[in-house]
Amino acid sequence: MKWALSLLLFPSVAFADGICADLNDLVDQAVSDRPVTFDLAGAPTPPDCSRSLELGGVRAVTCGWSYPYRDAAAMAAFDDLLGGVARCGDVLGRDDSQVSHPDSYDLRMFSVQDAEVSVSLKDKGALAETWLFLRAASGS
């Protein structure tokens, strides 16, 4: 997606301008037959994306990126992604409960146009990985 390169050149402006269109495209991918993808500048791995059908007929797309366990780059990417998504919609909620599996997580939820978008960071000690997830779900 175009904002990934622009983000490297003009971080704050490019992220805000391009991410909203990219999120709308991600929601469209949830209900289409197109391949699911979402580019995240600086991610150490390609995205692992999939579609799902949830309760009430909601269709969602979730993309995840794996980082080394508790890597500072994972937290930086989480903060950057949160900042971009927050510019596109309204905050719905937050959950950063301490749990046993995964070891910990921080979940932020947003309403972006007619979709629910969430960004989460999950530490998985047994796997020595930290995962950043982006989920976009269409209305029903």
Side-chain angles (χ1 to χ4, degrees):
M1 310 232 165
K2 294 177 186 173
W3 69 268
L5 178 58
S6 298
L7 177 60
L8 297 173
L9 301 174
F10 308 101
S12 59
V13 174
F15 198 77
D17 291 345
I19 184 119
C20 299
D22 289 346
L23 288 173
N24 288 333
D25 187 54
L26 193 64
V27 172
D28 289 344
Q29 291 176 48
V31 296
S32 75
D33 292 331
R34 293 186 299 137
V36 179
T37 188
F38 188 89
D39 293 329
L40 184 64
T45 61
D48 180 7
C49 298
S50 63
R51 287 186 183 87
S52 61
L53 179 60
E54 300 175 356
L55 294 175
V58 172
R59 298 187 179 277
V61 169
T62 303
C63 292
W65 295 267
S66 174
Y67 291 81
Y69 186 64
R70 296 195 173 166
D71 187 6
M75 181 55 85
F78 176 69
D79 289 341
D80 288 346
L81 192 53
L82 276 178
V85 173
R87 290 180 187 94
C88 302
D90 300 315
V91 175
L92 291 177
R94 175 183 179 163
D95 187 350
D96 55 1
S97 306
Q98 294 300 313
V99 293
S100 60
H101 181 76
D103 301 334
S104 67
Y105 73 93
D106 190 346
L107 170 67
R108 314 289 176 95
M109 297 165 287
F110 301 87
S111 174
V112 178
Q113 297 201 8
D114 294 330
E116 179 182 290
V117 175
S118 61
V119 179
S120 61
L121 188 68
K122 301 179 182 186
D123 288 328
K124 299 185 178 199
L127 299 175
E129 296 175 340
T130 293
W131 279 82
L132 173 62
F133 291 100
L134 174 63
R135 178 184 161 274
S138 67
S140 53

